[in-house]
């Protein structure tokens, strides 16, 4: 669908680069791609969804238009599904750090699992929300001597056959434990409090798996120390050791805005001022979602989605001046 732009050099990675795959970034990516542009979408996390999948995947959201009482994860699944068939390249585990002019476009420097990488685009939409949602650090005695302590959700198949200790009460810990057990890992799930969090379906599956012995549940329990192959816990005041080839510490995510706060966008604290068309102080750089100053106290999904539509359509016109800003009605168009 992408048509080469007369205004920007062909060696760029995409017409539009979106930083952040939360609801605002996903919808911005949709709209820019829907207008026929190529889009690169970056997120520091291993999955899209921003705050919804990182901080409250197990809760229902009541105020997204047209999706009454939708689980947060379903809101994101719909936004992701809307990108099907569109020219959007995903780069997860990718943290945007620098922004530099690149002719009439922009160069964004990022760290990726394969090392540093530069992305070139005609326009940038910054939808970084509260900041990069990075896993909380693991603070367990012995963690530095254990060969395989992780703080992010792994590919379950990679750990099949291993003894895996999953530590944490967040929904991601419950889900990871279930997926790892299904993939053939010997899983122990532990948390310092009595209960685990998760969707009703995941909590039901966890109870079944615990009862059938498919995985072991230890809660409330305190993880006291790690050795290179095992973990020592205290359960009901008694010492309890489990084998642990891999230790997965899932304590949730903390937002970090600092990677983009050096970008010269006239920051107002944690906000980027946005003018007409969601423009920032830099030509060709747009902002949407929680980060945009115009939203003020309305840090809401619905507000971010609207800002994303405005930003993406102005970005489309910026990159391809032959495209009108106004997109027209999607109901009058077909993708193919
Ligand atoms: C507990 C809780 C409940 C909520 N409930 C509701 C509700 O019921 N209704 C509602 O409307 N709103 C709710 N909200 C608010 C809503 O989640 C936010 O308004 C929304 O997520 C903002 O979307 P966003 O895309 O702007 O940012 P985010 O969701 O924060 O997504 C930003 C994304 O950008 C990524 N990112 C940031 N910096 C970088 C970087 N440098 N490089 C790469 N990636 C980066 C982050 O990792 C993240 O994935 C709730 C929020 C919380 C915390």
């Amino acid at each position: 669908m992408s048509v080469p732009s007369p205004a920007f050099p062909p060696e760029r990675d995409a017409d539009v680069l979106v930083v952040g795959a939360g609801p605002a970034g996903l919808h911005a990516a949709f709209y820019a791609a829907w207008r026929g542009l190529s889009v690169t979408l970056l997120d520091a996390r291993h999955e899209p969804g921003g705050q919804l999948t990182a901080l409250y995947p197990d809760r229902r959201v009541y105020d997204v238009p047209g999706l009454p009482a939708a689980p947060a994860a379903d809101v994101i699944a719909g936004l992701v599904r809307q990108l099907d068939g569109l020219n959007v390249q995903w780069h997860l585990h990718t943290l945007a750090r620098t922004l530099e002019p690149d002719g009439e476009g922009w160069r964004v420097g990022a760290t990726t699992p394969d090392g540093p990488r530069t992305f070139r685009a005609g326009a940038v939409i910054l939808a970084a929300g509260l900041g990069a949602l990075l896993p909380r650090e693991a603070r367990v005695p012995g963690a530095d001597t254990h060969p395989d302590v992780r703080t992010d959700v792994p590919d379950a198949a990679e750990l099949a056959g291993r003894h895996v200790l999953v530590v944490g009460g967040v929904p991601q810990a419950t889900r990871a434990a279930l997926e790892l057990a299904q993939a053939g890992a010997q899983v122990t799930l532990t948390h310092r409090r009595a209960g685990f969090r998760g969707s009703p379906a995941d909590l039901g599956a966890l109870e079944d798996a615990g009862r059938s012995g498919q995985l072991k549940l230890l809660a409330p329990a305190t993880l006291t120390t790690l050795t290179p192959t095992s973990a020592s816990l205290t359960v009901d005041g008694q010492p309890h050791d489990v084998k642990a080839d891999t230790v997965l510490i899932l304590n949730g995510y903390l937002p970090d805005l600092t990677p983009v706060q050096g970008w010269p966008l006239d920051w107002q604290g944690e906000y980027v001022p946005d003018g007409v068309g969601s423009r920032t102080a830099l030509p060709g750089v747009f902002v949407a979602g929680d980060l945009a100053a115009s939203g003020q106290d309305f840090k809401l999904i619905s507000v971010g989605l609207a800002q994303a539509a405005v930003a993406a359509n102005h970005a489309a016109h910026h990159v391809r001046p032959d495209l009108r800003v106004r997109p027209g009605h999607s109901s009058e168009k077909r993708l193919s």
Side-chain angles (χ1 to χ4, degrees), residues 20 22-24 43-44 50-51 56 63 94 96 127-129 131-133 289-290 299-301:
D43 203 291
Q51 294 166 53
Y56 58 104
D63 54 351
T94 298
L133 293 162
D290 278 6
K299 288 192 179 192
L300 291 174
I301 298 161

Side-chain angles (χ1 to χ4, degrees), residues 58-142:
D58 54 333
R59 297 201 197 164
R60 283 181 188 275
V61 179
Y62 295 88
D63 54 351
V64 172
L67 290 176
D74 288 7
V75 174
I76 294 305
L79 289 166
V80 170
R81 213 165 45 244
Q82 216 158 11
L83 302 181
D84 282 354
L86 296 176
N87 191 357
V88 178
Q89 299 294 321
W90 294 83
H91 294 270
L92 299 173
H93 281 301
T94 298
L95 180 67
R97 291 183 173 278
T98 58
L99 178 75
E100 291 171 343
D102 182 38
E104 302 209 19
W106 294 96
R107 259 194 324 265
V108 170
T111 44
T112 80
D114 303 322
R117 176 161 173 193
T118 300
F119 295 90
R120 303 175 71 184
V124 172
I125 299 174
L126 188 57
L130 301 178
L133 293 162
L134 302 175
R136 283 177 197 265
E137 294 287 312
R139 288 203 198 102
V140 183

Side-chain angles (χ1 to χ4, degrees), residues 185-197:
Q186 310 292 310
V187 179
T188 303
L189 174 63
T190 183
H191 181 41
R192 61 194 158 81
R193 299 214 178 99
F196 296 99
R197 271 178 62 199

